[in-house]
């Protein structure tokens, strides 16, 4: 069909697709809930059965669970992004997917919104609620309280605009990385996650080499680079690069998706 975007048709497509993917999404989110609960319980099992609370002196009781949950959340997000268009490369799945009464732009937007925004947001909400629950049960500050206190101390009292810009730049940069995995999901027909990781590593080699050479020849350059990246100019450069690369990866993903055909 002609690729003319329609919001009404997009809504029907999203409703139909969500109904078909409901079980898969619930399994992913439910598995993450169980993982979060188990990780927090294992790292605080002594407190749970012996009584008492977790305080700053205990440290690992709430720092390490947050670290492992964040790592698991990152893995799920990127692995899920790598499977955004997986069914378009299987014979049976591709036939049913391409035959859906919707334009390719609508199908692409649905996959992008679901995997780039909806799934990561749901995982973040689950992680925050889990942290708040265990913080209440075990008597330590939840991550939102910790971040709020850090914000009031290090940003509001020091340099709110610059630090806010730095945080925004890093969020955009992270989103750019997610867009890269979305592009890899449609560029590679098989082993999308592994091949995208490999491509990311290959593209990062010049940066690693440059940093190694500059640090070896001038050790102080590493410190200067860190200060520059945290400064206003560096933050604007990171932000601008994040926006540009996000647009590039999204364009590559769309161009590749728009030319996909059913594999015979």
């Amino acid at each position: 069909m002609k690729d003319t975007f329609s919001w009404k048709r997009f809504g029907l497509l999203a409703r139909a697709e969500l109904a078909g993917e409901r079980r898969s999404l619930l399994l992913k989110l439910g598995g993450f809930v169980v993982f979060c609960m188990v990780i927090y319980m294992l790292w605080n099992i002594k407190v749970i059965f012996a009584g008492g609370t977790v305080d700053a002196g205990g440290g690992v009781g709430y720092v390490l669970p947050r670290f492992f949950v964040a790592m698991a959340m990152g893995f799920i997000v990127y692995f899920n992004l790598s499977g955004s268009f997986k069914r378009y490369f299987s014979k049976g799945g591709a036939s049913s997917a391409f035959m859906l009464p919707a334009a390719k732009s609508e199908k692409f937007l649905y996959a992008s919104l679901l995997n780039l925004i909806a799934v990561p947001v749901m995982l973040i909400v689950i992680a925050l609620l889990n942290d708040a629950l265990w913080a209440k049960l075990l008597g330590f500050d939840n991550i939102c309280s910790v971040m709020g206190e850090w914000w009031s101390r290090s940003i509001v009292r020091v340099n709110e605009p610059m630090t806010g810009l730095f945080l925004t730049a890093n969020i955009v940069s992270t989103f750019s990385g997610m867009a890269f995995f979305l592009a890899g999901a449609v560029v590679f027909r098989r082993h999308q996650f592994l091949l995208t990781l490999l491509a990311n590593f290959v593209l990062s080699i010049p940066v690693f080499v440059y940093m190694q050479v500059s640090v070896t020849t001038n050790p102080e350059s590493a410190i200067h680079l860190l200060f520059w990246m945290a400064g206003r100019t560096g933050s604007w450069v990171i932000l601008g690069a994040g926006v540009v690369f996000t647009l590039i990866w999204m364009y590559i993903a769309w161009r590749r998706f728009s030319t996909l055909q059913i594999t015979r």
Side-chain angles (χ1 to χ4, degrees):
M1 66 179 296
K2 187 177 180 180
D3 195 0
T4 303
F5 189 89
S6 168
W7 283 109
K8 181 179 180 180
R9 195 168 55 231
F10 173 77
L12 295 174
L13 170 69
R15 186 171 64 179
E17 290 287 85
L18 286 174
E21 296 182 33
R22 180 173 53 191
R23 183 176 180 181
S24 175
L25 286 173
L26 289 177
L27 284 175
K28 291 176 184 178
L29 298 178
F32 185 63
V33 170
V34 172
F35 176 82
C36 292
M37 297 291 288
V38 170
I39 287 295
Y40 273 72
M41 184 180 67
L42 289 178
W43 279 101
N44 293 285
I45 194 167
K46 183 177 180 180
V47 177
I48 294 172
F49 290 100
T53 58
V54 180
D55 51 26
V60 296
Y62 57 88
V63 174
L64 285 182
R66 288 170 179 167
F67 171 76
F68 285 116
V69 166
M71 292 293 291
M73 184 165 55
F75 175 80
I76 293 173
V77 168
Y78 287 105
F79 188 80
N80 184 67
L81 281 167
S82 296
S84 298
F85 307 100
K86 196 170 184 178
R87 65 178 178 152
Y88 289 93
F89 297 114
S90 63
K91 294 181 180 179
S95 298
S96 60
F98 280 119
M99 292 303 139
L100 284 173
K104 279 191 175 181
S105 57
E106 296 160 5
K107 297 172 184 176
F108 178 79
L109 179 62
Y110 168 77
S112 301
L113 290 178
L114 177 67
N115 299 298
L116 272 175
I117 298 177
V119 170
V121 168
M122 287 188 286
L123 293 177
I124 291 173
V125 170
I126 290 173
L128 292 178
L129 290 176
N130 174 78
D131 189 81
L133 172 64
W134 284 99
K136 184 68 175 178
L137 291 175
L138 301 177
F140 58 85
D141 291 334
N142 62 62
I143 189 66
C144 292
S145 299
V146 173
M147 292 301 294
E149 183 179 354
W150 172 79
W151 180 272
S152 63
R153 287 183 178 180
S154 63
I155 297 180
V156 175
R157 298 181 184 178
V158 181
N159 193 344
E160 181 176 358
M162 190 182 76
T163 312
L165 173 63
F166 177 74
L167 292 176
T168 303
N170 281 274
I171 291 173
V172 173
S173 179
T174 301
F175 193 80
S176 174
M178 293 166 60
F180 180 77
F181 273 77
L182 182 74
V186 68
V187 169
F188 302 112
R189 286 187 170 271
R190 295 181 180 179
H191 311 296
Q192 289 90 348
F193 181 69
L194 294 177
L195 290 177
T196 306
L197 275 179
L198 179 61
N200 182 64
F201 173 75
V202 171
L203 293 174
S204 301
I205 288 178
V207 178
F208 292 147
V209 172
Y210 170 77
M211 292 182 67
Q212 288 289 333
V213 172
S214 61
V215 170
T216 302
T217 56
N218 184 10
E220 294 183 357
S221 63
I223 299 177
H224 294 158
L225 178 62
L226 290 176
F227 278 107
W228 179 81
M229 291 176 64
R232 183 174 299 279
T233 303
S235 296
W236 277 113
V237 171
I238 295 173
L239 178 60
V243 171
V244 170
F245 279 108
T246 297
L247 294 176
I248 290 174
W249 306 138
M250 293 299 294
Y251 176 76
I252 291 175
W254 162 244
R255 289 295 299 173
R256 173 60 174 159
F257 181 77
S258 65
T259 59
L260 286 181
Q261 302 292 333
I262 297 176
T263 304
R264 296 294 182 183

